[in-house]
Amino acid sequence: MTPNLTDLLTAAERIAQEAAAAIMAIYARGFSVEEKADKSPLTEADQAAHRLIMAGLAALPQRLPILSEEDVAGFAGPDAEGRYWLVDPLDGTKEFIKRNGEFTVNIALIENGRPVLGVVVAPALEVSYLAAEGVGAFKVEWGKGRSGECLPIRVAGKPAPGSTWRVVGSRSHASPALAGWLETLGPHTLQPVGSSLKSCLVAEGAADAYPRFGPTCLWDTGAAQAVVEQAGGRITNLAGDSLCYATPQRVLNPDFIVWGHSG
């Protein structure tokens, strides 16, 4: 196991908060929107957060490779022990553009194909989710009238037979496959939510499942997977295997389900 995961978690949270502050400064004053080669949107906030996170992680005593959504070409691969940082500087850019607050900063530490540490910060909502292997999973709410206390979180467990499942789904990426999956699931409610917040809602017990049919990348899921797993849940492909990060040259995830129970 990577030593000093608690210290690394503290450092990653600090770096994510610095990126979050830069994002909110741009959010407050307005911004232009560009289009990447894959037709996905890119803003000044994505780029500012990327620069801050790259510099912050590079300055840590543990000099690990970094795979960021905004610099895939610059990633040379994991280190000799299979470790690397996995970063989405601004997850939910469409939600950022819509100004609905449902966007996050994601930082994960991968070790031998598994996320062993995750930080998810939602700047506009003033909420953070933190987790590390052997440390636990936590939620922090800050801002006016909030304590800023780091509180442990836990998944809700599998709903009893006949109960209504609380499902969260993508706000900006609808999928025809979702309807069939929900029909098989049985009684349910469906709440649309943006970014990695969906997985975090499962981790804290506010939802029971999050199915995702359609393209996502490693950086969309790594940090939240650490939070979900340390809170007692799972993120699996449709065959029931945990999402794996051992071959980061293949950045696309398979379809997956986030479960609020362990089996």
Side-chain angles (χ1 to χ4, degrees), residues 70-87:
E70 305 307 334
D71 185 20
V72 176
F75 179 64
D79 72 3
E81 298 181 38
R83 299 175 302 185
Y84 64 96
W85 291 106
L86 179 61
V87 175

Side-chain angles (χ1 to χ4, degrees), residues 242-263:
S242 294
L243 293 190
C244 182
Y245 302 80
T247 53
Q249 64 271 26
R250 297 200 298 268
V251 300
L252 288 177
N253 287 317
D255 294 342
F256 63 84
I257 313 292
V258 181
W259 300 104
H261 57 276
S262 59

Side-chain angles (χ1 to χ4, degrees), residues 123-219:
L125 303 181
E126 299 183 320
V127 174
S128 298
Y129 297 88
L130 317 170
E133 193 170 76
V135 179
F138 306 89
K139 179 181 180 180
V140 183
E141 297 180 282
W142 70 92
K144 186 176 181 181
R146 294 173 165 183
S147 68
E149 187 177 357
C150 192
L151 299 174
I153 57 174
R154 193 75 184 167
V155 295
K158 190 174 184 178
S163 299
T164 299
W165 285 71
R166 300 166 300 164
V167 180
V168 285
S170 176
R171 187 180 292 282
S172 296
H173 302 276
S175 167
L178 177 60
W181 187 87
L182 290 172
E183 184 176 351
T184 301
L185 184 67
H188 64 272
T189 60
L190 178 61
Q191 177 186 359
V193 180
S195 73
S196 58
L197 285 168
K198 296 181 287 294
S199 296
C200 293
L201 289 174
V202 176
E204 69 171 296
D208 300 309
Y210 158 40
R212 180 56 185 259
F213 302 96
T216 61
C217 293
L218 301 179
W219 45 75

Side-chain angles (χ1 to χ4, degrees), residues 223-240:
Q225 183 167 339
V227 176
V228 169
E229 291 181 347
Q230 295 308 310
R234 299 175 297 148
I235 301 185
T236 71
N237 61 23
L238 301 187

